[in-house]
Amino acid sequence: MTVRVVPLRAGSCLNLAAITERGAPWRVQAYPAGFTLILHPTRGPVLFDTGYGADVVTAMRRWPGLIYGLITPVQFGPHDSAREQLRVLGFPPEEVRHVIVSHLHADHVGGLRDFPHATFHLDRRAWEPLRKLRGVRAVRRAYLPELLPDDFEDRCAWLDFKPGGDALHPFAEVADVFGDGLLRAVPLPGHAPGMVGLLAQEDAGLTVLAADAAWSVRAGREERPVHPLARVAFHDPAQEATSGAALRAFLHANPAARLHVSHDAPEGWT
C-alpha cells in the first residue's frame, strides 16, 4: 500500500525575498500558503495543514489580528480555501476525517474550522506553549486562537513518538500516524514549537513534507540561511538551525526523496 500526495495552496503571503534568503534582492515576493491532500488507501482524504482560510481574513480586520496582516500581508480569494478546492476535486468537507497539523501558525491552520468531522494529529509540544496565549502575545507567535475550532483540544490525537532507528537518522524519533508506515511524522521544531514534517510513502518513493523547515526547496537541500531579521520571529533559532541541518542530512542520505515545503513550488511536481 502507498499514498498519493497532491500539493495544493490556499492563498499566499507577501514578504521581502531578502528576509527569506540572505543575499536575495530586497523586493516583495508572494509565497504560497501550501497544504497537502494525501489520498490514503484506508483513511480516505487526509490533509497536511490547511493553508489560509476565510477566518484569517476576518481575524485580520480587527485588533489584534490587524498586526498579523500588517507584518504578513495575505492574498486570499473566495475560492482559495482548502474546503473549496477539495469540493472541486470531489471531496466534501465531511469526508475529511484526519488533518495532520505541522504547527499552529495562522497560515497552516486557517481552514481547520471548515472540517468539522476531522481529528487533528499534532505534537502536543506544539500546543502546550500556545494554548493559553491571547491577544498581542498570541499574534507575536503568529498564532490566532480564534482560528481553532471551539472543541479543538477534544479532537486532538497527539502524535506518539518513538525512537526512529538508523533508517531515519538523524531523526531521533518518529510517530507512525496511522500505524501502517505510510505517513510518519518527524520533529522539526524551532521555527515554531513542536513543528513536524511528514514522510509519505508514494508509489514513486518517499516524499518529504517539511512544512516551514525551509522557505524554499533549494534551502531545504542546501544551507541557505535566512536574513538575521527573520530569525527574530523563530520560536527557538538554535533549534530551527538544528532541524534544518537534520532535514538536509536526511535528504542527503535519501537522494531520491522528493521535497515539498510550504512556501515554495513542490519539487518534481508538474
Side-chain angles (χ1 to χ4, degrees):
M1 292 195 304
T2 58
V3 299
R4 181 185 170 199
V5 169
V6 182
L8 299 165
R9 58 187 291 175
S12 59
C13 64
L14 301 179
N15 209 328
L16 291 167
I19 295 293
T20 66
E21 184 176 322
R22 194 180 306 175
W26 288 89
R27 65 165 178 255
V28 175
Q29 183 170 321
Y31 295 88
F35 72 99
T36 307
L37 168 64
I38 302 168
L39 302 178
H40 190 281
T42 62
R43 304 285 178 158
V46 175
L47 294 183
F48 182 62
D49 292 336
T50 66
Y52 288 120
D55 290 333
V56 177
V57 178
T58 300
M60 289 191 306
R61 291 177 179 151
R62 56 177 181 256
W63 184 264
L66 284 168
I67 302 172
Y68 183 97
L70 289 172
I71 296 173
T72 308
V74 171
Q75 297 177 324
F76 184 84
H79 303 294
D80 289 344
S81 70
R83 176 183 62 188
E84 292 307 310
Q85 292 185 64
L86 264 60
R87 283 190 190 277
V88 171
L89 294 173
F91 302 105
E94 57 269 20
E95 287 189 13
V96 177
R97 298 291 177 150
H98 303 277
V99 179
I100 302 166
V101 180
S102 68
H103 61 295
L104 293 169
H105 284 178
D107 54 331
H108 294 260
V109 299
L112 288 188
R113 286 182 175 270
D114 291 336
F115 301 99
H117 302 292
T119 295
F120 306 127
H121 303 265
L122 68 157
D123 189 340
R124 185 186 288 272
R125 293 168 291 192
W127 173 236
E128 291 300 334
L130 302 179
R131 61 193 298 266
K132 295 182 179 180
L133 296 185
R134 296 295 183 271
V136 175
R137 291 178 64 221
V139 173
R140 288 179 61 186
R141 304 289 291 273
Y143 169 57
L144 302 178
E146 59 266 48
L147 300 182
L148 303 184
D150 296 338
D151 59 350
F152 175 77
E153 193 165 12
D154 292 337
R155 291 162 61 188
C156 285
W158 308 116
L159 294 171
D160 183 17
F161 285 94
K162 297 178 180 178
D166 293 342
L168 293 182
H169 180 78
F171 295 119
E173 53 182 5
V174 62
D176 190 342
V177 180
F178 298 122
D180 54 17
L182 298 181
L183 296 173
R184 294 169 293 168
V186 293
L188 289 170
H191 170 82
M195 190 173 79
V196 299
L198 198 64
L199 309 180
Q201 192 61 49
E202 295 193 85
D203 279 344
L206 189 66
T207 296
V208 180
L209 309 179
D212 285 357
W215 270 92
S216 68
V217 167
R218 184 171 65 172
R221 290 194 176 273
E222 307 169 12
E223 188 171 4
R224 292 180 174 269
V226 297
H227 192 278
L229 286 175
R231 302 185 70 80
V232 174
F234 293 161
H235 169 68
D236 186 327
Q239 202 175 52
E240 188 272 344
T242 298
S243 292
L247 174 63
R248 291 191 299 274
F250 181 79
L251 292 169
H252 180 75
N254 297 270
R258 294 199 306 178
L259 174 63
H260 296 188
V261 297
S262 297
H263 300 302
D264 194 9
E267 186 175 54
W269 186 257
T270 57

